[in-house]
Amino acid sequence: MESVKGFVADHGGSAVAVLQPLGRLGVRVTLVGADGVLGDRVVADLGTAQELVAMIDGLDEADEWDRELTARVTPRAGHWAAMAGWVAKQTRFPAARNEH
């Protein structure tokens, strides 16, 4: 919970959470800060995820990834490379859109 509070504080004082069930692994709580930066945490179940959202000031729950929310997302520098893994280190592939 403290890490989510820190995320909200560090990224504009508010954020939106999208709750995404992962089956037996739990629920991914994807966070979109007011500045558009992404973050995520995984919790045990949907009840825990909903409780987390309710307990943190400035954190609201979105029903889904809608156009408005996805348009707000601005991945931080290096995000594309981290998600691409070994592919990001290849010289024959083009650079990610936001890494120019």
Side-chain angles (χ1 to χ4, degrees):
M1 184 163 82
E2 292 303 315
S3 65
V4 176
K5 283 182 183 177
F7 178 89
V8 171
D10 292 345
H11 296 285
S14 66
V16 175
V18 182
L19 309 183
Q20 302 164 105
L22 299 171
R24 288 186 278 171
L25 294 174
V27 175
R28 169 173 277 146
V29 180
T30 303
L31 306 166
V32 180
D35 59 359
V37 172
L38 289 170
D40 72 334
R41 299 293 179 269
V42 176
V43 297
D45 53 46
L46 188 58
T48 303
Q50 291 168 331
E51 197 174 304
L52 177 69
V53 172
M55 291 176 63
I56 296 180
D57 292 333
L59 184 59
D60 296 314
E61 182 181 346
D63 293 328
E64 61 184 8
W65 285 102
D66 59 17
R67 182 183 295 238
E68 181 182 320
L69 184 57
T70 56
R72 188 173 2 161
V73 173
T74 307
R76 65 181 165 259
H79 180 81
W80 297 105
M83 295 295 103
W86 67 270
V87 174
K89 296 175 180 49
Q90 299 297 311
T91 56
R92 61 185 177 168
F93 294 110
R97 299 181 292 193
N98 69 340
E99 298 288 325
H100 297 286

